[in-house]
């Protein structure tokens, strides 16, 4: 009996020690040009550092918010599509020379606003640890993450230089005239925004992006761009016709060129 208890106690101590080390060294093991393993701190996340990254040099960065598939599918789903897959397969514009740090957290519930406090804590740490260029920090998201981009961008006007909502939404039940649509448009009227959606999206109607772009322009936003694809693919496993406009958007070289032209210091009315 005593022997069994000793084994149990030793196992607990070893497991706890390993967990502490993982938490404490979350960014020390990162390698330039590679995607990290899953890091477990304020919120589970993975990080890509560009080739040639040096901590002494400020580097532009993208916070990328995944869609609903990442909630149940986890990082296998997140790594298997969109921006993350393009970076891993080096088919993102620039390939090996893609110049951005990319931070990809994982939501464990189908609602990004429920995770905003954790994102706040994560970014407060990583901005310093990774020496992110705070003048060139961008927010992108797809589908559920597109909703996260609209809402988190509005909540943090003085953090992100530009937003990239892809096949996203604000008011799910009222895509064009919902009260929240007008509120978000007013808050973001001076923020550079590049919107992407497909006309044949069967999961999130293109009316959501149509309505937000229209409302932003009415509010006076003169730096909103909108790529409205006629056709986009569906999910790799089938279904979701037209929803995967993110597979087109994040391959657009013009997107990244435009992003690097945007700076937080250029959002003069927000500061």
């Amino acid at each position: 009996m005593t022997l069994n208890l000793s084994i149990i106690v030793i196992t607990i101590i070893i497991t706890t020690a390993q967990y502490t080390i993982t938490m404490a060294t979350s960014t020390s093991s990162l390698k330039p040009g590679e995607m990290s393993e899953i890091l477990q701190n304020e919120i589970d996340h993975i990080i890509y550092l560009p080739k040639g990254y040096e901590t002494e040099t400020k580097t532009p960065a993208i916070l990328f918010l995944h869609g609903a598939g990442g909630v149940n599918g986890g990082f296998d789903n997140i790594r298997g599509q969109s921006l993350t897959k393009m970076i891993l397969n080096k088919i993102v514009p620039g390939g090996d020379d893609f110049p951005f740090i990319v931070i990809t957290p994982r939501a464990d519930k189908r609602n990004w606003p429920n995770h905003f406090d954790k994102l706040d804590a994560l970014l407060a740490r990583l901005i310093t640890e990774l020496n992110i260029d705070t003048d060139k920090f961008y927010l992108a998201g797809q589908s559920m993450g597109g909703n996260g981009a609209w809402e988190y961008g509005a909540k943090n006007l003085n953090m992100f230089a530009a937003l990239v909502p892809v096949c996203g939404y604000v008011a799910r039940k009222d895509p064009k005239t919902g009260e929240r649509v007008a509120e978000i448009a007013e808050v973001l009227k001076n923020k550079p925004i590049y919107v992407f959606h497909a006309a044949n999206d069967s999961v999130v109607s293109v009316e959501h992006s149509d309505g937000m772009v229209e409302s932003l322009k009415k509010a006076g936003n003169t730096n909103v761009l909108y790529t409205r694809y006629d056709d986009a693919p569906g999910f790799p496993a089938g279904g979701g016709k037209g929803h995967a406009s993110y597979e087109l958007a994040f391959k657009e070289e013009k997107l990244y060129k435009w992003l690097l032209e945007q700076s937080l210091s250029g959002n003069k009315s927000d500061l």
Side-chain angles (χ1 to χ4, degrees), residues 114-217:
N114 288 341
H115 301 78
F116 284 174
D117 287 347
K118 292 180 179 179
L119 290 183
D120 290 345
L122 176 70
L123 297 181
R125 178 173 60 83
L126 290 183
I127 285 171
T128 299
E129 286 187 10
L130 300 178
N131 199 14
I132 288 172
D133 185 346
T134 54
D135 202 37
K136 291 186 176 292
F137 190 18
Y138 311 102
L139 172 59
Q142 65 189 48
S143 194
M144 181 184 89
N147 171 253
W150 288 119
E151 294 287 351
Y152 198 57
K155 178 179 179 289
N156 292 278
L157 277 181
N158 296 331
M159 181 179 290
F160 302 107
L163 312 181
V164 186
V166 181
C167 59
Y169 56 89
V170 171
R172 197 66 193 260
K173 294 182 179 180
D174 195 356
K176 286 194 172 183
T177 60
E179 182 178 333
R180 189 60 179 156
V181 171
E183 290 174 351
I184 292 287
E186 180 62 27
V187 172
L188 295 175
K189 64 184 179 182
N190 296 307
K191 185 65 61 179
I193 302 174
Y194 203 146
V195 181
F196 294 85
H197 216 127
N200 68 327
D201 193 326
S202 62
V203 178
V204 177
S205 170
V206 72
E207 289 187 350
H208 288 280
S209 290
D210 290 349
M212 274 307 305
V213 170
E214 182 180 339
S215 294
L216 284 165
K217 289 181 177 179

Side-chain angles (χ1 to χ4, degrees), residues 12-26 40-41:
I12 291 171
I13 290 171
I14 291 172
T15 302
T16 303
Q18 288 175 337
Y19 182 73
T20 302
I21 291 171
T22 300
M23 295 280 281
T25 62
S26 63
Q40 299 173 307
N41 293 82

Side-chain angles (χ1 to χ4, degrees), residues 17-18 30 33 48 94 100 122 124 138 151 163 187 227 233 236 243 252 255 263-264 267:
Q18 288 175 337
L30 300 180
Y48 171 79
F100 302 90
L122 176 70
Y138 311 102
E151 294 287 351
L163 312 181
V187 172
T227 294
H243 190 51
E252 297 274 13
L255 166 61
S263 63
L264 188 60
N267 299 172

Side-chain angles (χ1 to χ4, degrees), residues 46-116:
I46 53 178
I47 297 174
Y48 171 79
L49 296 181
K51 187 177 73 172
Y53 166 84
E54 296 179 348
T55 53
E56 296 80 11
T57 304
K58 289 192 175 294
T59 305
I62 298 171
L63 174 66
F64 176 66
L65 304 182
H66 65 76
V71 176
N72 294 326
F75 282 102
D76 286 342
N77 174 276
I78 294 166
R79 291 190 185 107
Q81 60 173 303
S82 192
L83 178 59
T84 311
K85 182 179 180 180
M86 292 174 200
I87 292 172
L88 287 168
N89 292 344
K90 303 187 186 305
I91 58 174
V92 70
D96 270 340
D97 296 319
F98 190 65
F100 302 90
I101 296 170
V102 181
I103 302 164
T104 307
R106 176 182 169 259
D108 58 10
K109 297 180 177 62
R110 291 173 65 104
N111 188 316
W112 270 111
N114 288 341
H115 301 78
F116 284 174

